[in-house]
């Protein structure tokens, strides 16, 4: 899986350059849901990739990131909304872009606490930038941005004090 390998190489480069941490593939530890870590408390990181872009968030605190292309074709986003979103979110979804923006919020929140995507998407609900529905999300904030042909969201306990490194 080339994108995954390349994203790990990029992560190791970022850790070496900005955190003075030397790491390699064998150093990665994955939780039962596939969230990678170095097996230590810090740094925390999250990786997301889709066609044409890789995003990596690194923090001293838990963090989750997700990115989706805004041009992604969805045959029936309304049907997917009913399947994966909470009922109170239905009125917020008026377009494919809205669907993808909320999707990245939800997925970044799940990645934040290392949960299982399929078990948690409909349980996590947003009141603006504040996720709820899981005790692990207490105190977390999710920020969503449009970047060119992509929408991405970052969930963290602390707002970033410096810009994210986007690759």
């Amino acid at each position: 899986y080339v994108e995954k390998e390349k994203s790990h190489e990029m992560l190791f480069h970022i850790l070496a350059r900005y955190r003075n941490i030397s790491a390699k593939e064998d150093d990665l530890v994955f939780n039962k849901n596939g969230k990678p870590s170095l097996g230590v408390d810090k740094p925390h990181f999250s990786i997301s990739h889709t066609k044409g872009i890789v995003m990596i968030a690194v923090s001293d605190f838990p963090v989750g990131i997700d990115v989706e292309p805004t041009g992604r074709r969805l045959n029936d986003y309304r049907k997917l909304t009913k399947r994966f979103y909470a009922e109170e979110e239905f009125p917020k979804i008026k377009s494919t872009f809205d669907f993808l923006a909320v999707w990245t919020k939800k997925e970044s929140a799940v990645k934040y606490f290392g949960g299982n995507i399929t078990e948690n998407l409909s349980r996590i609900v947003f009141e603006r930038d504040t996720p709820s529905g899981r005790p692990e999300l207490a105190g977390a904030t999710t920020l969503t941005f449009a970047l060119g042909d992509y929408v991405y969201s970052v969930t963290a306990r602390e707002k970033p004090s410096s810009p994210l490194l986007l690759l």
Side-chain angles (χ1 to χ4, degrees):
Y1 189 45
V2 175
E3 284 182 337
K4 189 174 190 178
E5 289 175 14
K6 291 290 185 191
S7 65
H8 289 177
E9 287 176 27
M10 293 167 75
L11 170 67
F12 302 143
H13 174 77
I14 291 166
L15 292 174
R17 182 162 184 183
Y18 297 100
R19 293 296 184 104
N20 202 26
I21 296 171
S22 178
K24 58 188 182 313
E25 197 69 31
D26 292 341
D27 297 325
L28 292 177
V29 177
F30 297 87
N31 78 3
K32 66 180 181 177
N33 297 311
K35 181 175 177 149
S37 74
L38 292 176
V40 294
D41 286 340
K42 293 180 187 177
H44 296 269
F45 56 87
S46 183
I47 303 168
S48 184
H49 45 77
T50 189
K51 186 178 179 181
I53 194 168
V54 173
M55 292 193 145
I56 299 172
V58 179
S59 175
D60 288 332
F61 303 99
V63 64
I65 192 166
D66 188 55
V67 61
E68 292 290 338
T70 55
R72 181 175 172 186
R73 288 186 179 255
L74 295 174
N75 292 333
D76 190 353
Y77 71 85
R78 287 180 182 91
K79 184 177 179 182
L80 293 170
T81 298
K82 289 178 181 172
R83 180 175 176 195
F84 292 111
Y85 293 3
E87 192 171 326
E88 56 265 41
E89 294 173 308
F90 295 173
K92 298 175 188 174
I93 312 301
K94 296 181 172 122
S95 67
T96 301
F97 181 87
D98 295 342
F99 176 88
L100 291 170
V102 173
W103 182 275
T104 64
K105 281 180 172 289
K106 288 175 171 281
E107 193 161 335
S108 73
V110 172
K111 288 179 173 184
Y112 168 83
F113 68 85
N116 180 300
I117 298 289
T118 56
E119 292 175 6
N120 289 287
L121 284 181
S122 64
R123 291 180 64 189
I124 296 171
V125 179
F126 283 86
E127 180 60 40
R128 298 184 190 247
D129 295 333
T130 305
S132 63
R134 291 292 308 229
E136 300 93 339
L137 293 170
T141 299
T142 302
L143 302 177
T144 302
F145 306 92
L147 176 69
D149 295 332
Y150 300 92
V151 60
Y152 71 97
S153 294
V154 180
T155 300
R157 190 176 75 204
E158 300 286 329
K159 289 188 179 183
S161 59
S162 60
L164 295 170
L165 184 58
L166 307 174
L167 305 168

